[in-house]
Amino acid sequence: MSIGKRLSSGVAAAAMLVASCLPSHAQDEGGLLATATVGLGVLHDEDGTRARNELGFTLSSSTRRASLSFSLSGALEYPDADDDLTLEDPTLALAYKLTGANASLAFDAAYRQVEISTLVFDEELDPTAPITDTGYRTTADLGAELTFGIEAPFGGTVGLGLREVAYHETDSPALFDYDTRNADLALRFAVDPRIELSLTGSYEDIESEGAGRDRTTTAAGLGAEFQINKSLTASLNLRHTEIETSAGGGPVTRQSGPEWDATLVRTLPDGALTFDLASTVTSLGRRHEANISRTREFPTARLAWSVGLSQASDGEVDGLFSLSWTRDGKRGSFQALAERDVRASTFGDEALVDRLSIGYRRNLTELSGLTTSLTYRRTDYLDPAADTVEQMEFGLGFTRSLTERADLTARFSHARSRSGTQDAVSENTIYLGVQRNFSWRP
């Protein structure tokens, strides 16, 4: 059995183990705090109408030396297409950190299952074919990080990580399960209060099943950060990177060479101004990027923008930009983001991504509130053979407090996706239910 295959069954066991090993002083000083959410309602979508029982649980503890957070969530639905009880959207996350006088040790584990066609921005780009397909993607992660010399002139960080990605209930020929193993090392040397040097190294190995692709990336480098004056900081990093790729046991393709990035940051009374230049090695050759960005803080809002250029190995130049605005008021909040960026998938596939995201929350009365969101993403893969993918989701939610711990919840969502010249696929979902919250100290 491979390391990756042990993750799915091992995450829950690891969570129980770490929780049971929590130092007694953490429970005595800070105490464990548990919260639970139970929701019972009716869900309607293209698959019909069914009962949905939403469940959530969190456990946390924090002291001067140790912190623990554990959460799980999911929903029970009945009946499904086979007239069975099913568990939907299961998610589990665990984080534990122990801090000493000059070092810290952190451990985290996570498990998540999402529909393949779900629009999820915090994940890396998915392959093109399954965007309008059906099925599920499960991701299991384990990670550990040791940091030493926190207050010393010499220190560093060592990190290890494992990931398993698997696809279920889909016949897409473009999807392959894969495992990822990675290790990172970073050492820092404080020459004086204004100069800090660093040495870095990283290794990542991706192994796919069947005819899927394998990818190995190794890198080693050095860097320096300079505090020029109270408001101006500069940094320069040099690396040598090698990327090896293959598919289905076929020939290995190698890309290697030097990489560098330089950053200049000027701190301003209301934010910061940043200049970035970078040259990186990719699976297709080399990419150069230049960006200028600005953040500005207001009493109740935050503005951030950036503009830049990105040049691929074939000489193609793309314009980049990002604009975000966040505002908090007495009765609600508003967030908006528009951006164009070049992203790379786990296997190095590059794409030009356009994204728009708008969210609004409004307290209608002391007992009721309204939320709405709109997200759109267009993914133009740089591979001419790959299809352009468009995804859009709209959501509307209403909550009203029935008692101190119980709320009435109503939600509506509309999702639409299209890959290439295929017909667009749409789905509407309506949910109505009652949610109750609990909290206690075990």
Side-chain angles (χ1 to χ4, degrees):
M1 182 181 294
S2 67
I3 295 177
K5 289 295 179 288
R6 291 195 294 268
L7 290 180
S8 296
S9 60
V11 170
M16 297 175 60
L17 175 62
V18 174
S20 65
C21 293
L22 183 68
S24 59
H25 63 74
Q27 300 185 34
D28 296 339
E29 297 176 10
L32 290 171
L33 175 63
T35 61
T37 300
V38 178
L40 182 61
V42 177
L43 178 72
H44 176 79
D45 57 17
E46 276 67 16
D47 296 327
T49 302
R50 54 198 180 276
R52 181 178 173 94
N53 183 15
E54 298 185 343
L55 306 171
F57 173 78
T58 62
L59 181 68
S60 62
S61 177
S62 180
T63 68
R64 184 177 59 86
R65 293 192 57 194
S67 64
L68 168 73
S69 64
F70 171 73
S71 65
L72 58 86
S73 63
L76 296 173
E77 293 185 2
Y78 180 84
D80 65 359
D82 299 323
D83 202 30
D84 293 328
L85 179 69
T86 60
L87 176 62
E88 298 291 332
D89 308 320
T91 300
L92 181 150
L94 167 72
Y96 176 69
K97 186 175 183 179
L98 184 64
T99 303
N102 203 32
S104 66
L105 177 64
F107 170 83
D108 63 85
Y111 175 87
R112 186 181 191 186
Q113 177 178 287
V114 297
E115 291 187 35
I116 291 176
S117 59
T118 300
L119 182 61
V120 182
F121 285 135
D122 59 354
E123 291 195 3
E124 297 174 353
L125 297 178
D126 289 329
T128 56
I131 295 301
T132 57
D133 202 350
T134 59
Y136 299 90
R137 166 178 166 160
T138 60
T139 304
D141 294 274
L142 289 175
E145 183 178 85
L146 171 65
T147 303
F148 58 92
I150 297 176
E151 302 295 338
F154 168 73
T157 301
V158 180
L160 298 173
L162 298 173
R163 162 172 282 202
E164 177 199 70
V165 175
Y167 296 93
H168 311 276
E169 300 180 25
T170 178
D171 298 324
S172 173
L175 294 177
F176 300 93
D177 299 349
Y178 65 90
D179 301 334
T180 302
R181 295 167 287 273
N182 61 72
D184 299 278
L185 171 66
L187 303 176
R188 59 171 183 81
F189 309 85
V191 179
D192 65 36
R194 296 184 302 170
I195 302 175
E196 184 173 280
L197 305 179
S198 62
L199 292 175
T200 60
S202 63
Y203 172 81
E204 181 183 66
D205 179 59
I206 304 172
E207 183 178 350
S208 301
E209 294 187 359
R213 284 180 292 172
D214 300 334
R215 189 171 192 259
T216 302
T217 305
T218 56
L222 54 89
E225 182 173 312
F226 309 92
Q227 186 73 44
I228 300 174
N229 55 44
K230 292 183 178 181
S231 62
L232 190 61
T233 303
S235 63
L236 176 64
N237 296 288
L238 304 174
R239 295 176 299 277
H240 183 275
T241 299
E242 181 173 287
I243 302 173
E244 297 182 351
T245 58
S246 63
V252 176
T253 301
R254 291 181 175 85
Q255 293 285 352
S256 63
E259 294 184 334
W260 61 269
D261 62 81
T263 304
L264 190 65
V265 180
R266 184 173 184 82
T267 303
L268 302 173
D270 61 352
L273 181 64
T274 304
F275 298 90
D276 288 301
L277 293 172
S279 178
T280 58
V281 175
T282 71
S283 299
L284 302 177
R286 180 169 295 277
R287 176 168 292 277
H288 305 283
E289 287 193 359
N291 286 277
I292 177 173
S293 59
R294 172 79 160 94
T295 59
R296 188 172 182 183
E297 301 286 345
F298 299 92
T300 60
R302 184 177 188 271
L303 174 68
W305 60 261
S306 68
V307 293
L309 296 172
S310 180
Q311 183 183 45
S313 57
D314 60 1
E316 185 73 20
V317 177
D318 295 299
L320 311 177
F321 75 90
S322 176
L323 177 65
S324 66
W325 171 258
T326 303
R327 183 177 179 83
D328 296 316
K330 294 182 179 180
R331 300 192 61 181
S333 62
F334 175 79
Q335 305 90 32
L337 170 67
E339 70 171 358
R340 164 171 283 199
D341 196 9
V342 175
R343 304 284 181 85
S345 71
T346 300
F347 297 96
D349 298 320
E350 294 184 322
L352 187 63
V353 179
D354 296 314
R355 182 167 67 135
L356 173 66
S357 177
I358 300 174
Y360 179 69
R361 177 182 60 82
R362 176 78 172 180
N363 297 325
L364 302 177
T365 67
E366 293 183 356
L367 299 178
S368 62
L370 181 71
T371 60
T372 182
S373 64
L374 173 67
T375 55
Y376 170 82
R377 180 170 67 178
R378 177 187 172 93
T379 306
D380 291 317
Y381 286 83
L382 302 187
D383 182 357
D387 292 330
T388 296
V389 177
E390 292 181 275
Q391 300 166 290
M392 187 275 289
E393 283 189 359
F394 170 76
L396 182 65
F398 173 80
T399 59
R400 180 175 177 82
S401 297
L402 302 178
T403 66
E404 184 178 351
R405 293 186 176 180
D407 298 323
L408 174 67
T409 302
R411 297 194 302 266
F412 167 78
S413 67
H414 172 77
R416 186 180 180 88
S417 60
R418 178 166 54 193
S419 179
T421 58
Q422 299 179 16
D423 294 336
V425 177
S426 300
E427 182 177 11
N428 296 315
T429 304
I430 301 174
Y431 173 81
L432 178 64
V434 176
Q435 186 179 86
R436 183 171 174 82
N437 302 314
F438 306 88
S439 64
W440 70 95
R441 291 191 176 275

